[in-house]
Amino acid sequence: MNIKKIFVVGDKFSEFTNGKNVLTISQLELLTQIPAKIIDTEHEIIVGQGVRDDFARKVIKNQKRNEIHDNKLNIISLEKLTEAKKNCHAHKKIKHNVLIGGAEKVADNDNLYTLPLMIDERCELMADHQTGQHIQGMLLVEACRQTFIAVTEEFFFNGESNRYYVINGMAINFSNFLFPLPAVVHYEILEQDINDRRARFKAQIRVTQHQTSCATMDVSFTVYPSEVISSKESELAIAATHNAFSAAQHIPREAVYA
């Protein structure tokens, strides 16, 4: 049987759908609302980026309600999306701000992990606007940041979240556009130095799409118990405020309102 594959993406990636076998999730929802057999050949839906899980549930509900018409849509991937768990170690309180799925250790390599990229178009970095057909670079920066936190917390500190992550250095290189299609994040630990007081890591994070490298981040960071950093942060905050007040006393009043 010849099955036609169709990608579905978030509505904000509507420009990407032009001239391709790609639908937005709202377009797919409209198709499944129509109570008639309008799709008579097998189609398999593949979930890309940006799809909201609440919209996916609407499609599933419509398809079940109209299953008597036997529209030949395989929407198993949408059902899996609604069941999939975002990474719970990414230090985000709002689910749709999490950009990565669960991490898996690569077999026979304790330093290498993979995670699916899972962008919801409601996330904080897409709240303003979407430019062009590709995924904006800052989304990949944030996905990489969430990745090193999530992997470290889950695999080195047993999921404990009472730790503070200090970024010592972060450099990212973009080599190809990443489009709103399935993508994978690869996390590799290059160096680690762990003791009772702190843990230091150097790592490389790569984002690939269909074996094409799209972005590479080199990062170094240190992890401290929260109480250690909280105390130091309070000292620095007091000193910064004192310096700001001292500087303000020497600023001419008219300059403040210029």
Side-chain angles (χ1 to χ4, degrees):
M1 182 184 298
N2 191 17
I3 300 175
K4 185 174 183 179
K5 297 182 185 294
I6 297 179
F7 286 99
V8 61
V9 299
D11 290 350
K12 288 188 177 181
F13 292 112
S14 59
E15 188 176 344
F16 178 72
T17 67
N18 295 333
K20 309 175 187 71
N21 290 329
V22 182
L23 296 173
T24 67
I25 187 65
S26 289
Q27 289 170 338
L28 180 60
E29 185 193 355
L30 287 173
L31 281 179
T32 56
Q33 283 181 15
I34 300 172
K37 184 175 180 178
I38 60 171
I39 302 174
D40 57 4
T41 58
E42 292 287 340
H43 287 70
E44 179 183 354
I45 301 300
I46 303 174
V47 177
Q49 302 295 335
V51 177
R52 298 171 50 154
D53 56 1
D54 56 342
F55 282 12
R57 289 188 178 91
K58 290 181 182 179
V59 171
I60 294 167
K61 184 177 180 180
N62 291 341
Q63 182 73 352
K64 287 182 178 179
R65 185 172 60 243
N66 291 324
E67 62 185 357
I68 188 174
H69 300 290
D70 192 28
N71 279 328
K72 297 185 181 300
L73 282 173
N74 180 336
I75 59 171
I76 291 176
S77 63
L78 280 177
E79 294 171 354
K80 289 182 178 179
L81 174 68
T82 62
E83 298 168 357
K85 293 183 178 180
K86 292 290 191 77
N87 198 298
C88 62
H89 304 289
H91 285 200
K92 288 293 181 181
K93 293 181 178 179
I94 300 173
K95 179 182 175 182
H96 55 245
N97 286 335
V98 179
L99 303 177
I100 52 175
E104 293 186 1
K105 186 181 292 187
V106 174
D108 301 323
N109 191 333
D110 289 337
N111 294 323
L112 190 60
Y113 303 79
T114 61
L115 311 86
L117 189 67
M118 297 177 66
I119 298 173
D120 184 315
E121 67 178 5
R122 294 170 293 179
C123 71
E124 56 196 338
L125 291 173
M126 291 187 69
D128 195 315
H129 71 292
Q130 162 65 27
T131 302
Q133 300 187 45
H134 68 284
I135 292 171
Q136 302 303 300
M138 289 309 298
L139 277 164
L140 302 186
V141 173
E142 174 61 10
C144 290
R145 189 192 71 85
Q146 291 183 16
T147 293
F148 73 72
I149 291 174
V151 171
T152 306
E153 202 151 281
E154 180 178 2
F155 291 92
F156 288 86
F157 297 112
N158 299 315
E160 297 176 4
S161 57
N162 60 338
R163 297 181 185 275
Y164 200 104
Y165 290 74
V166 176
I167 299 173
N168 304 120
M170 180 186 286
I172 190 164
N173 177 64
F174 298 101
S175 49
N176 281 284
F177 279 144
L178 186 84
F179 294 103
L181 300 168
V184 179
V185 182
H186 309 262
Y187 179 75
E188 183 177 9
I189 299 170
L190 304 178
E191 296 179 20
Q192 55 180 295
D193 179 8
I194 303 172
N195 60 35
D196 293 337
R197 191 178 66 86
R198 53 94 186 116
R200 288 178 179 158
F201 296 88
K202 287 186 178 180
Q204 184 174 88
I205 308 166
R206 295 182 299 112
V207 184
T208 64
Q209 189 162 69
H210 310 127
Q211 299 183 343
T212 297
S213 179
C214 298
T216 303
M217 174 184 282
D218 292 301
V219 63
S220 59
F221 61 97
T222 308
V223 188
Y224 296 95
S226 292
E227 59 271 16
V228 173
I229 291 298
S230 294
S231 175
K232 184 64 175 177
E233 187 177 38
S234 294
E235 293 177 13
L236 293 173
I238 291 170
T241 305
H242 174 77
N243 292 337
F245 276 125
S246 297
Q249 290 175 356
H250 297 90
I251 299 176
R253 187 178 183 84
E254 59 273 15
V256 175
Y257 299 98

